[in-house]
């Protein structure tokens, strides 16, 4: 295989687990946005510029808050949108303001660190879905340039 030719040794089970982690949408293929989301660094994820750009991307109505419907539109999954809202809506308003979104992004950046310590499994899966959307944001932005 290509991995063997590159001089790497990896167990089949580990390769399968890695592939499944990258294949966020479960299509059996790793799409550009999935690859991009896997390479988003914690430093980039937590930068003020990135947080503002991603916040604006999620805030479809451009009204200064991110609603459940906006999360659903961007994430494409009601369970994930609900989980994000439950985890990040600290004041219980039913929408994410900039401070709540910033806290969530910074928390994701801290928990998705290069050491591989991604925190809880549910947080990791939620982070994968969000970073997939962030990857879509960066791809859309680069195509518009």
């Amino acid at each position: 295989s290509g991995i063997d030719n590159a001089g790497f040794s990896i167990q089949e089970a580990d390769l399968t687990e890695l592939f499944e982690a990258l294949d966020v949408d479960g299509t059996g293929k790793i799409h550009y946005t999935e690859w991009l989301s896997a390479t988003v660094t914690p430093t980039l994820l937590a930068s003020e510029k990135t947080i503002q750009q991603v916040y604006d991307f999620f805030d479809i109505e451009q009204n200064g808050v991110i609603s459940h419907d906006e999360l659903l539109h961007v994430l494409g999954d009601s369970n994930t949108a609900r989980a994000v809202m439950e985890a990040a809506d600290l004041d219980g308003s039913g929408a994410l303001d900039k401070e709540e979104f910033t806290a969530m992004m910074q928390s994701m950046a801290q928990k998705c660190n290069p050491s591989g310590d991604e925190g809880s499994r549910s947080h990791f899966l939620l982070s994968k879905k969000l970073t997939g959307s962030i990857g879509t944001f960066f791809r859309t932005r680069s195509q518009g340039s």
Side-chain angles (χ1 to χ4, degrees):
S1 75
I3 291 174
D4 293 330
N5 292 341
F8 294 105
S9 175
I10 187 167
Q11 298 294 318
E12 185 71 30
D14 293 335
L15 184 59
T16 299
E17 183 178 350
L18 175 62
F19 184 85
E20 288 173 356
L22 291 172
D23 183 23
V24 175
D25 63 6
T27 63
K29 298 178 182 178
I30 299 172
H31 300 282
Y32 173 76
T33 55
E34 292 168 326
W35 180 255
L36 184 60
S37 71
T39 61
V40 171
T41 66
T43 303
L44 176 62
L45 195 59
S47 79
E48 282 299 317
K49 181 178 179 182
T50 299
I51 290 171
Q52 183 63 55
Q53 290 173 334
V54 173
Y55 185 81
D56 291 342
F57 178 70
F58 276 81
D59 184 13
I60 297 165
E61 296 175 9
Q62 297 296 296
N63 61 359
V65 294
I66 300 170
S67 69
H68 177 271
D69 289 343
E70 289 169 316
L71 285 173
L72 179 58
H73 179 79
V74 174
L75 298 173
D77 175 68
S78 61
N79 290 331
T80 304
R82 185 175 54 253
V84 169
M85 191 60 72
E86 288 173 1
D89 182 19
L90 302 177
D91 65 7
S93 67
L96 303 181
D97 61 26
K98 176 76 184 316
E99 286 107 25
E100 291 168 325
F101 189 80
T102 298
M104 178 189 66
M105 294 284 286
Q106 289 172 340
S107 175
M108 279 177 39
Q110 288 174 351
K111 293 186 180 188
C112 297
N113 64 49
S115 71
D117 177 19
E118 72 259 352
S120 72
R121 179 81 175 141
S122 62
H123 189 280
F124 176 63
L125 294 173
L126 181 60
S127 296
K128 273 185 16 175
K129 188 72 171 177
L130 284 171
T131 54
S133 295
I134 293 166
T136 300
F137 159 75
F138 282 117
R139 182 180 67 147
T140 303
R141 195 178 75 176
S142 69
Q143 289 174 344
S145 303

